[in-house]
Amino acid sequence: MTHDPATAQEFYTKALGWTFRPGFRREEQGYHLALAEGGLPVAGMGMTARTTGFSASWTTYFRVDSANDMANRIRDHGGTVAVGPMAFGTGRVAWAADRQDARFGVWEGAPVPGWRMQRRHGAPARLQLHTGDAFGAAMFYGAVFSWDSHAPDRLGVRFEADHVVVSVDGHHAADLWGGAVDKAPDPTIRPQWHVYFCVDDVDAVAERAASAGGSVVREPHASYFGRVADLRDPEGALFHITSEND
């Protein structure tokens, strides 16, 4: 979500090489699809007025069969539904928060053709939840999205030392990270979902982002997942880049 789509599009074109096209219907104003190399759809960009009080930010969305049913499940398991479910484009959407107030969205409807996580420049690489209680978060999302009822060859959830790993079709899709799998929750962590985009050269992209009007929150460095960097766009929306190849 951005207050200034034109500036945001210019920035991400320079930083990540994205191009843009109108969203679900050409007559819908304020929503565009971001396309990586080869025309692969990788993200959505919507406009929100400054008067709403919402800051520019990236939001993680989960695809569901029924936004209405999912909203009820979120509430039943201690989460909060802030907006929706409501019609949006070709489907329905709701914005919610988990028990520790990490915000996310749910989407009901057919995905945009070609939309999938891939290891290619500009495409989403993975999602990461920073949370004070990784075990509690795994219990919440596992119950809400019925992770344990899906075929094990399609979706897997495993605990590793201080984080939880979620894989889909053998692809490392998300991590729930908080250092509380086997110890007390950390109250100092601000719960938040983070989006990582795959790039060919983390250092070069970080330089391009800074020169395009963004900022480098944390310089390129080695991590558990490979070389990464933490960036903000000109409006302050936080995102991450990684050169991981696994």
Side-chain angles (χ1 to χ4, degrees):
M1 299 303 294
T2 173
H3 302 302
D4 186 349
T7 297
Q9 289 180 27
E10 181 180 3
F11 169 79
Y12 287 102
T13 295
K14 292 178 179 178
L16 297 178
W18 288 352
T19 57
F20 293 86
R21 68 171 174 83
F24 303 106
R25 294 189 298 269
R26 299 192 68 87
E27 64 268 22
E28 282 190 339
Q29 300 298 311
Y31 182 79
H32 288 77
L33 284 176
L35 309 176
E37 58 185 18
L40 176 73
V42 293
M45 182 175 290
M47 182 173 66
T48 180
R50 295 183 184 276
T51 55
T52 63
F54 293 110
S55 60
S57 63
W58 283 99
T59 302
T60 294
Y61 288 81
F62 297 92
R63 187 185 174 196
V64 299
D65 294 330
S66 170
N68 286 356
D69 291 346
M70 193 55 57
N72 290 332
R73 292 177 65 87
I74 291 169
R75 297 187 187 98
D76 289 345
H77 291 283
T80 303
V81 178
V83 180
M86 58 184 287
F88 186 77
T90 58
R92 290 174 60 76
V93 68
W95 288 275
D98 65 21
R99 290 187 297 224
Q100 297 182 64
D101 203 33
R103 301 172 186 179
F104 63 96
V106 296
W107 164 259
E108 171 196 336
V112 175
W115 191 308
R116 60 190 181 277
M117 298 179 77
Q118 292 189 6
R119 292 296 190 272
R120 59 190 299 179
H121 184 92
R126 72 174 189 280
L127 307 170
Q128 187 175 101
L129 174 65
H130 288 190
T131 177
D133 185 355
F135 183 80
M139 295 300 100
F140 171 81
Y141 289 99
V144 167
F145 296 121
S146 301
W147 283 347
D148 58 353
S149 69
H150 291 274
D153 58 338
R154 290 219 59 225
L155 190 148
V157 180
R158 69 180 187 273
F159 293 85
E160 291 188 1
D162 55 355
H163 66 287
V164 180
V165 177
V166 181
S167 58
V168 180
D169 292 332
H171 172 76
H172 182 177
D175 303 276
L176 284 62
W177 199 281
V181 172
D182 56 0
K183 56 188 176 183
D186 184 348
T188 65
I189 295 177
R190 177 189 175 190
Q192 185 177 2
W193 280 98
H194 296 256
V195 182
Y196 284 74
F197 296 103
C198 196
V199 299
D200 299 327
D201 187 327
V202 168
D203 296 74
V205 172
E207 290 183 7
R208 289 205 300 269
S211 64
S215 59
V216 179
V217 178
R218 188 176 181 189
E219 296 287 343
H221 60 279
S223 77
Y224 182 91
F225 302 101
R227 194 160 182 79
V228 299
D230 307 338
L231 310 174
R232 290 189 186 275
D233 68 17
E235 289 188 279
L238 178 68
F239 67 103
H240 311 269
I241 54 175
T242 175
S243 60
E244 63 179 341
N245 296 313
D246 60 341

